[in-house]
Amino acid sequence: MKKLLVILGVITCMVGLCACGEEATLDPSISAEEVLLNAEAMVEMIDMIVGMNATEQYASDPIIYAGLLSWQSALEDIGDFVDTNGGTVTAKGDDVVVNVNVLGSDHNAKVEFIFDSSIASCFGITTNVEYSFGELMVKAALNTVIGMGTVFVVLIFISLIISCFSLISKVGTKQQKTAVTTSEKVAADPVVAQIAEKEELAGDAELVAVIAAAIAAYEGSGSTDGFVVRSIRKSNKSKWQNA
C-alpha cells in the first residue's frame, strides 16, 4: 500500500511539472488562431521576398535575414511552394513557438517562429524540411562515409609525411659520407704527390745523374755536391721559343 502511494505521488509530481512547463503565457487578448494566421501570412511573405531576389534588402535585420536565408536554402528540397496547411501554437515559458505546415512540390516542411508572449517581437525564424525515413538514412550514411573518408585521407597524408622523414635522413647521411670521403681524398693528395715525385726521381736516376753532371760542367764545378735535382719536368716550349 505504501509503495502504491509513493508511485501515485511520483506520477502526480510529474504531471504537475509537465503542466507547469506548458503553462500558457499567450496574451489573453490574442487567440491562437490569429497567431497562426499571421504566421502563415508571414510564410507567404517570406516566399515572395525570396522569389523576388530581395533577400539582401533585409540584411540589416539579423532575425528576418536569417529566416530568409533558411527558407531560401530549404527551397532546394521543398521544390515549389504550394501552400500552407495550418500548424500549431505552443507556449513555452515566456516564449510562444508557432510551427506552420508548408506544402511543397518535392517535400513538405515546417517553418518555426519564436515570439514573445505578446507576439510583439520575433526571436527566430527557421525552416525545417521533412524527410522520409529512407532519405534520413541515406543522408546519415553519406555523412558517415564522408567523415570516415576524410579521416582516412588525413591519416594517409600523415603516414606519407612520416615516411618522407626516413628519406630525408638517408639523403643527409649520404651527403655527410660524401663530404668525409672528399676531405679524406684531399688530405691524401699531397702524400700521393710526394710518393709519385719520389718514384719519378727513382725511375729516372740515370737521367738525373747525367743532368747533374751537365750542370756541374756548365758551372765549372768538379762535383754535384752543391745542388740537388729534385724533379724533372718536360718543357712544352719549342726550340724556336727557347731561342
Side-chain angles (χ1 to χ4, degrees), residues 117-200:
S117 59
S118 61
I119 317 298
S121 300
C122 182
F123 302 138
I125 304 173
T126 308
T127 303
N128 301 310
V129 181
E130 296 179 344
Y131 299 101
S132 64
F133 179 76
E135 290 173 333
L136 292 175
M137 292 300 295
V138 170
K139 286 181 177 292
L142 288 176
N143 291 334
T144 302
V145 171
I146 292 173
M148 294 180 65
T150 303
V151 172
F152 279 112
V153 169
V154 173
L155 291 176
I156 292 172
F157 181 71
I158 293 174
S159 64
L160 291 175
I161 293 176
I162 294 174
S163 63
C164 290
F165 291 159
S166 60
L167 297 176
I168 295 172
S169 63
K170 289 180 180 179
V171 172
T173 304
K174 185 176 181 181
Q175 291 178 350
Q176 291 178 356
K177 289 182 179 179
T178 303
V180 171
T181 304
T182 303
S183 62
E184 291 177 352
K185 184 177 179 181
V186 171
D189 284 343
V191 178
V192 174
Q194 293 176 5
I195 294 174
E197 184 177 354
K198 291 180 179 179
E199 290 179 352
E200 181 180 357

